[in-house]
Amino acid sequence: AFEHCANDEQRGKLALTTLVRQCGASGGALYRLAQGKPEFSAVTSELQPRNEMAGWVQAYLDSHVHDATTATESTTDHVPEVVEHVDAAGQNYRLVLLSHNAAGHLNVMAVAVLALAAPEHFRYPGQLASMMSRLWAEQADIPTVALPRPRLRA
C-alpha cells in the first residue's frame, strides 16, 4: 500500500491508521524526525495531539541513542521497552518505534503515540512496525535517521 501513496504525508497517515487498528487503540499521533527532532506528522480523527507528546517522543529516542552508545554487548533482536504515559484525564498512551535494521544501523522512520482503549490488551507491534518502516523507507521522500545498532546492557 505504501507504493500507492503520493508522498510521505500519506505514508505516515497509512502507517498510523494501520497501527491504531492492529493495536486496538482509540487513536494515535505520528511524529517524524526532522533534523533529529520529532515533528508532528499525522493524527487520527479520534485523537487531539497533546503538547507533551513531542517531549515523550524525544525522550524515547534519546533513550535509544543512550542505550546504543553506552553498552558493551550487541544483540541482533532488539525488543523495545514498553514506554507508557498516562495523562491527567487517565488516558493511557504507548509509544511505538517505526524502525528497521539495515547496514548495521537502526533506521528510524517515525514514532507513533497510541491512545489505548484497553491498556491491558496492548501488545507491542514490533514486526508490523519494522515491516512498515522498511516499506516506507523504500518509498520515502525524506531520508531515515540512522542510529547505531542497539546493544544490551552489560
Side-chain angles (χ1 to χ4, degrees), residues 60-83:
Y60 187 48
L61 293 168
D62 289 347
S63 75
H64 279 279
V65 172
H66 179 266
D67 287 350
T69 59
T70 60
T72 59
E73 195 177 313
S74 67
T75 181
T76 55
D77 294 322
H78 177 65
V79 178
E81 69 281 3
V82 174
V83 176

Side-chain angles (χ1 to χ4, degrees), residues 29 31 38 40 48-58 87 93:
Y31 290 82
F40 175 78
Q48 188 71 341
R50 304 176 56 82
N51 292 337
E52 65 266 26
M53 286 181 180
W56 297 346
V57 171
Q58 185 65 58
D87 68 14
Y93 299 90

Side-chain angles (χ1 to χ4, degrees), residues 73-79 100-102 105-106 130 134 149-152:
E73 195 177 313
S74 67
T75 181
T76 55
D77 294 322
H78 177 65
V79 178
H100 62 280
N101 288 316
H105 290 90
L106 182 67
S130 179
R134 187 175 306 280
R149 177 174 262 168
R151 299 178 179 272
L152 291 175

